[in-house]
Each structure stands twice: as structure tokens, then as C-alpha cells.
Amino acid sequence: MAKTRPEDLDFNNLGFQYHDLPYRFEERFEDGKWQGGKLIEDSTITLSEASEVLHYGQEVFEGLKAYRTKDGHINLFRPDQNAHRMANSAKRMMMEPYPEDKFVEAIKKVVLANEDFIPPYGSGGSLYLRPFMIGTDPLVGVAPSTSYTFHVYATPVGFYVKGLNPMPYTVSKYDRAAAYGTGQAKTSGNYAGSLLPELTAKKEGYADCLYLDPKEHKYIDEFSGANFFGITKDGQFITPKSNSILPSVTKRSLLQIADDLGLNPIETKININTDLDNIAEAGAMGTAAVISPVGSLTYKGKKHVFYSEKETGPVTTKLYKTLYGIQLGDVEDKHGWIQQIK
């Protein structure tokens, strides 16, 4: 595959896809220690046919973005939180955690090396960073690997979901993760399991599907690739509390922003059968989409409409503009979330 050049891209119409950029970062864990990482140009990874990751799924990953500000600086949004979550995911998957300070350093190196590919301010685009770590031991029996590869690549992306357009969602009959399983780890198996229900939902005309808790199937968990939030009729920000959902950096940030806005945020169990009528606005929140308004949710053949199927609610709009504004440097960062690297 030929390397992408800046002149090959229309930064105002990027879409959300992979581009082979000039540089990425890689470091290996062997003989009980990290061997020292560096920027490399090769975008391919060579593995043994018996590698742990190929057969037993020992893998964790992250997703975060770099933004170009109005005055030309480069912002990272809470990369320390991604570093911490990846370390926790690694521990759950019996992998050697990558040092959190080195994680942030690696992210910054990849961003600066590929600076020409950061979409300009106002384009709606960003530079998406995908750090991941895989087990590389050639194994036949089921056992943890003792060697790993940590890798970070970057790709310029546009809006995952363009604009604040309410979309229809449905509740899946499948489980995203098992109770007491790996739902809180950002590992590939969780996403592989969501492919069938997500594709089925899209074929039926929905943007995505929402999963219920895997134990009782009556409490809201999360979407295939984003967390759920609701704004109650009395103006409270609520989001599911569950041991089987991913601890989202976006969710944590919106909980704080909601508190700043006086929305009395809370993580709580949300009963699909009894609580929907009390929710005035709803949305999906995550790194890729930031916030995607949920216009309607269909459950057991019944469609529940929140604020509107055509217009985004005022509270959801305020939350989006505040969070996205902080990321772009347009709104004051009161909590020290932004790391400006240039």
C-alpha cells in the first residue's frame, strides 16, 4: 500500500477510515522488560502463525484524538486517562501493562511526526490515534504470552457521525459482554461479538443497537461502541452503572461537565421497562462520535421517542458544544484536561 500524502486528502471530507501515514511507534516486551521503542515507517507487523493474539485474542487497544486549534496549536484530550485505562485492560487480559508515562510520550511522538496530516481547524476533522498491544508468543496450548508488541498508528478522520442529527436505535437481543467478564477491558473480543448485532441493526434501519445487562436483561448497559446517557425530565444527567461496560473517558468527562452545568449527574441503573418515560433527551457518547443524539429507541417492537426524531435537545447540544469546544481550545479548560504539544 502506498503511503498517504497530505495533498492526497480532502480534509473537509475525510470520512472515518484508515490512511497509511509515514510514521508510527513500536516497542516490544521480551525477556521480562520493555526493549525501548522508536518511530518506524513500516506499517506491517510480521507474526508467527501460532501467535497468541491470532488464536486466543490476547489484545488490548485505545482510541484518542489530536486536534488543531484556531491559533494553530495541537491539543490532546486527556491522554493520561487512555494510558491508565489501557494499563487496566492489559492487567485484565494477563498482559504486561505499558508504562503510562511512556504511553503519553509515544502518542506525542506519533502526532508530531505526522503533524502535516492533522486536519485544519474548522474542518471537523482530527488525527485519530490507535494504540494497541498484542501477545506474540507462538502457543498451541491456552496460556498467557510472555512477549508483547505495543504499537501506535495515526490516521486523519472526519466526523464519525456528522453533526448533531438524532438517529434511531434498537435494543439488541444479544449480549455485548458476559457478567463478570471482560466488558470493562478494551479488548478486541468484545467488539468482535458486537459485529453481528450491530450489522443486523443497521440492516433494519437503525444507527446501532443498545445492549442490556447480561445478567438480568433489564438494565441499560451501552451501545456497540459508545456509552449511553439520558437527561431526565427534571434535568438530571444519568448514565448506566454496570460492571460489564467500558469505563469511557468521554463519559467521565461529560459527568464532570454535567456537574459544572448543574445537572446533578449520577451513574445509576436504568431500567429499560420503567425508566424510559422519565428521560427527556438521550445520547451515545464516545471518542469517535463525541455525542450522537438518540432520537428513538425501539424495544420489543415498541418505539420510544425522546426529545425529537429530527431535532437535538437543548441539554444535549450544550453538552456537545462544551466538550467539543474544550477539545478544540474554544472553551476554557477548567480541569486541566488538555495537553498542548505544540
Side-chain angles (χ1 to χ4, degrees), residues 52-53 56-61 85-97 133-135 143-146 148 181-190:
E52 170 87 17
V53 65
Y56 305 122
Q58 198 177 23
E59 185 266 3
V60 295
F61 70 99
R85 185 172 65 179
M86 187 170 188
N88 286 339
S89 294
K91 292 173 186 176
R92 175 63 181 84
M93 301 304 292
M94 292 296 292
M95 305 176 76
E96 180 67 26
M133 186 163 63
I134 57 176
S145 181
T146 60
Y148 307 97
T182 60
Q184 288 200 332
K186 197 167 178 67
T187 182
S188 56
N190 294 338

Side-chain angles (χ1 to χ4, degrees), residues 85-319:
R85 185 172 65 179
M86 187 170 188
N88 286 339
S89 294
K91 292 173 186 176
R92 175 63 181 84
M93 301 304 292
M94 292 296 292
M95 305 176 76
E96 180 67 26
Y98 193 72
E100 294 180 32
D101 57 340
K102 293 182 67 176
F103 176 103
V104 176
E105 290 175 8
I107 293 297
K108 291 179 178 179
K109 287 179 180 178
V110 172
V111 171
L112 290 174
N114 295 292
E115 180 182 354
D116 291 344
F117 295 89
I118 302 175
Y121 175 87
S123 66
S126 57
L127 188 69
Y128 185 81
L129 286 306
R130 172 53 58 85
F132 63 91
M133 186 163 63
I134 57 176
T136 54
D137 277 359
L139 295 172
V140 177
V142 180
S145 181
T146 60
S147 63
Y148 307 97
T149 294
F150 173 79
H151 192 101
V152 184
Y153 73 79
T155 184
V157 297
F159 288 109
Y160 190 70
V161 179
K162 192 167 185 178
L164 284 176
N165 299 312
M167 301 293 287
Y169 291 79
T170 186
V171 177
S172 178
K173 66 179 181 180
Y174 295 95
D175 291 333
R176 173 188 166 271
Y180 313 110
T182 60
Q184 288 200 332
K186 197 167 178 67
T187 182
S188 56
N190 294 338
Y191 295 83
S194 74
L195 295 177
L196 174 61
E198 182 179 3
L199 182 60
T200 300
K202 289 181 177 179
K203 285 182 177 179
E204 294 174 352
Y206 300 102
D208 194 1
C209 54
L210 182 68
Y211 299 92
L212 301 180
D213 74 285
K215 188 175 182 180
E216 298 183 77
H217 291 142
K218 66 179 183 179
Y219 298 107
I220 292 174
D221 255 17
E222 64 177 317
F223 299 99
S224 298
N227 282 179
F228 175 92
F229 76 85
I231 307 299
T232 65
K233 291 182 178 178
D234 59 0
Q236 184 177 34
F237 180 101
I238 61 173
T239 187
K241 184 176 183 178
S242 169
N243 291 325
S244 57
I245 65 177
L246 187 70
S248 163
V249 177
T250 303
K251 169 182 170 177
R252 183 176 300 176
S253 304
L254 283 172
L255 280 166
Q256 180 60 63
I257 291 171
D259 188 54
D260 295 343
L261 296 175
L263 300 177
N264 189 26
I266 186 173
E267 291 181 89
T268 184
K269 288 187 175 182
I270 303 173
N271 192 309
I272 189 75
N273 299 301
T274 62
D275 294 339
L276 290 186
D277 287 339
N278 189 42
I279 298 177
E281 300 179 32
M285 51 183 171
T287 297
V290 185
I291 289 178
S292 178
V294 177
S296 67
L297 180 64
T298 298
Y299 177 52
K300 292 184 176 180
K302 180 181 178 181
K303 182 168 73 171
H304 183 96
V305 177
F306 295 101
Y307 181 80
S308 168
E309 292 185 90
K310 296 182 179 179
E311 297 180 6
T312 301
V315 179
T316 299
T317 300
K318 180 66 174 176
L319 289 168

Side-chain angles (χ1 to χ4, degrees), residues 52-97:
E52 170 87 17
V53 65
L54 299 178
H55 302 277
Y56 305 122
Q58 198 177 23
E59 185 266 3
V60 295
F61 70 99
E62 275 298 324
L64 63 159
K65 294 176 179 177
Y67 303 85
R68 181 75 71 180
T69 67
K70 185 182 294 184
D71 55 8
H73 294 300
I74 303 170
N75 282 355
L76 289 176
F77 182 74
R78 309 190 78 178
D80 56 312
Q81 296 301 307
N82 293 95
H84 185 64
R85 185 172 65 179
M86 187 170 188
N88 286 339
S89 294
K91 292 173 186 176
R92 175 63 181 84
M93 301 304 292
M94 292 296 292
M95 305 176 76
E96 180 67 26

Side-chain angles (χ1 to χ4, degrees), residues 3 20 22 24 26 40-45 151:
K3 296 291 183 186
D20 190 350
R24 63 275 303 134
E26 189 170 276
I40 61 173
E41 296 184 38
D42 190 356
S43 58
T44 61
I45 297 176
H151 192 101

